[in-house]
Amino acid sequence: DKNNAPPADTNITIYRIKSPYPQILKHIGKINLWGKIKYRIFKMYYTYAKGGNIYDTSIGWDKAFIPKVAELIKTEGIRNVIVTLPPSRHAYYVSKLKTILPDINFILDIRDPWTELPGFGTLYHLSKKRLGYETQLEKRTIEKADHIISFTKERTQLFKGFCGDQFNKCITITNGVDLSDYDFLSRSALPASEYFSIVYGGSLYPETADSVAKLTDFLIANKQALIKAR
């Protein structure tokens, strides 16, 4: 995929491993009659054959994914293995490698909550049994992790219930900004206005509300100074 290839001047190699997860279960929007039939068939199969959240798109990826990961760890002498979530099931698959490769440093980079997300069960229409199954997968994954990275302190606190006395392995690394991406702004004429725009990239969650409120209070309190600083 040329659109997602690394820059030519890097030594990064990307291995793309096809997932068996059916595309029809990812579909959002209107579908024709045949699409509806396929959706029902795959939903029935996954509901019968798979536990937990059947809409996790990494379900079944372990058959091809894990052997390749294990091979690369051994042949390349890889020590640090970072798994980014979501989707989430593949993190559980990688966690099982700790049993056969105990020396790897297994790092979870959690971008969105897993079962600790408020309303997770309702969002994915999970029964109590399925939610319990998914919660156990997350618990086992977190138990195997050497480090767990979240990008807000509030998000990090969510893992206390899973980590217990191992909470010290939870780390907060806030999202960074590369200012060079915005060099073009210094060459743009600013409109004569007392207003300025702020772009928020991402989702708003209850646990980020406090940070957003603090930012809003800061902007209101320093409005005149910020306008002059432009």
Side-chain angles (χ1 to χ4, degrees), residues 17 23 37 44 46 62 71 73 77 90 92 115 146 156 160 166 177 182 192 194 196 203 212 219 221 228-229:
I17 303 170
Q23 290 293 321
I37 293 171
M44 287 174 60
Y46 272 70
D62 54 324
E71 174 195 329
I73 290 173
H90 72 298
Y92 169 68
T115 63
D146 295 290
T156 301
K160 266 192 172 181
Q166 290 187 309
V177 176
Y182 304 95
E194 64 176 7
F196 56 90
S203 302
V212 174
L219 293 173
K228 289 179 181 178

Side-chain angles (χ1 to χ4, degrees), residues 129-218:
K129 181 179 180 181
R130 285 188 174 275
L131 179 58
Y133 182 95
E134 197 74 18
T135 302
Q136 283 302 308
L137 290 182
E138 180 173 15
K139 183 178 180 180
R140 292 172 195 163
T141 304
I142 285 176
E143 285 174 350
K144 293 284 187 180
D146 295 290
H147 301 287
I148 301 166
I149 301 171
S150 295
F151 58 87
T152 68
K153 292 179 180 179
E154 293 82 4
R155 187 68 61 80
T156 301
Q157 289 296 318
L158 291 175
F159 300 109
K160 266 192 172 181
F162 287 99
C163 297
D165 57 2
Q166 290 187 309
F167 184 64
N168 61 328
K169 67 183 180 181
C170 296
I171 306 166
T172 301
I173 301 178
T174 57
N175 289 334
V177 176
D178 186 348
L179 295 178
S180 66
D181 289 341
Y182 304 95
D183 284 345
F184 69 94
L185 292 176
S186 63
R187 301 187 296 272
S188 304
L190 294 173
S193 170
E194 64 176 7
Y195 299 101
F196 56 90
S197 300
I198 293 177
V199 177
Y200 179 88
S203 302
L204 291 172
Y205 292 103
E207 62 268 20
T208 62
D210 185 53
S211 298
V212 174
K214 289 178 181 177
L215 174 60
T216 304
D217 291 342
F218 173 83

Side-chain angles (χ1 to χ4, degrees), residues 21-93:
Y21 191 83
Q23 290 293 321
I24 192 65
L25 290 184
K26 301 179 185 179
H27 185 83
I28 298 175
K30 294 181 179 180
I31 52 176
N32 58 27
L33 178 60
W34 174 234
K36 291 179 180 179
I37 293 171
K38 283 173 61 181
Y39 182 90
R40 286 181 176 271
I41 290 173
F42 278 109
K43 183 180 179 182
M44 287 174 60
Y45 168 74
Y46 272 70
T47 300
Y48 174 77
K50 310 293 181 181
N53 174 24
I54 67 168
Y55 294 105
D56 188 305
T57 57
S58 59
I59 289 177
W61 206 21
D62 54 324
K63 301 296 188 295
F65 171 66
I66 292 303
K68 187 62 179 180
V69 171
E71 174 195 329
L72 290 171
I73 290 173
K74 294 174 182 176
T75 58
E76 302 295 334
I78 294 171
R79 174 86 170 89
N80 299 307
V81 178
I82 304 173
V83 181
T84 298
L85 292 73
S88 306
R89 190 70 62 95
H90 72 298
Y92 169 68
Y93 298 148

